[in-house]
């Protein structure tokens, strides 16, 4: 049921977005650029709107968003339940799973942070 609701929501947003791109291309471009500001995508000089903007609301976009949202359904962590074995990327670029880092009965501690 959750996947069906996500499919409906994402499909509807793609249809509306694609329609807006056709009817109001300049306004939609400004909206997409605002989204790029939030993700800092537009700060990268190698990316221009022409490279990534038109991919918004495409069929590939729909499939990608569905894949991500459906995968996140599996990653739900509930108190008192086992932790999800979420895929993670190491600093060397290898894809592993979170529980691969468990050692014997030692607790696994995740530390999230950033440095600038």
């Amino acid at each position: 049921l959750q996947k069906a609701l996500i499919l409906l929501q994402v499909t509807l947003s793609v249809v509306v977005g694609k329609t807006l791109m056709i009817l109001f291309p300049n306004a939609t471009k400004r909206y997409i650029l605002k989204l790029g500001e939030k993700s800092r995508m537009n700060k990268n000089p190698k990316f221009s709107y022409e490279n990534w903007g038109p991919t918004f609301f495409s069929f590939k976009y729909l499939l990608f968003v569905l894949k991500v949202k459906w995968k996140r359904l599996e990653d739900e962590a509930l108190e008192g339940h086992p932790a999800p074995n979420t895929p993670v990327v190491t600093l060397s670029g290898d894809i592993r799973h979170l529980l691969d880092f468990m050692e014997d009965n030692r607790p696994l501690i995740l530390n999230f942070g950033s440095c600038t």
Side-chain angles (χ1 to χ4, degrees):
L1 181 61
Q2 286 179 319
K3 283 188 175 185
L5 291 174
I6 289 171
L7 173 64
L8 180 64
Q9 179 217 5
V10 173
T11 303
L12 183 63
S13 70
V14 167
V15 168
V16 168
K18 192 58 141 179
T19 304
L20 291 174
M21 274 182 117
I22 293 167
L23 297 176
F24 308 103
N26 291 333
T28 307
K29 179 180 178 178
R30 284 193 304 273
Y31 172 74
I32 291 172
L33 288 171
K34 286 270 189 210
L35 292 176
E37 287 176 14
K38 289 181 184 177
S39 68
R40 298 179 150 209
M41 185 185 299
N42 61 348
K43 299 293 182 198
N44 186 335
K46 294 183 180 180
F47 286 110
S48 67
Y49 174 80
E50 288 70 27
N51 290 340
W52 54 268
T55 65
F56 272 68
F57 311 121
S58 67
F59 186 68
K60 282 186 177 183
Y61 173 87
L62 171 78
L63 294 179
F64 176 77
V65 173
L66 284 175
K67 180 181 171 184
V68 169
K69 287 185 174 271
W70 286 347
K71 185 68 179 159
R72 287 192 179 159
L73 287 174
E74 301 169 8
D75 292 343
E76 187 175 26
L78 302 171
E79 186 175 342
H81 291 80
N85 197 14
T86 306
V88 293
V89 179
T90 65
L91 292 175
S92 61
D94 298 330
I95 296 177
R96 307 260 310 268
H97 285 83
L98 187 62
L99 298 181
D100 293 343
F101 298 96
M102 291 287 296
E103 293 182 16
D104 300 323
N105 288 333
R106 295 177 53 195
L108 177 64
I109 298 173
L110 302 176
N111 183 9
F112 298 95
S114 65
C115 56
T116 54

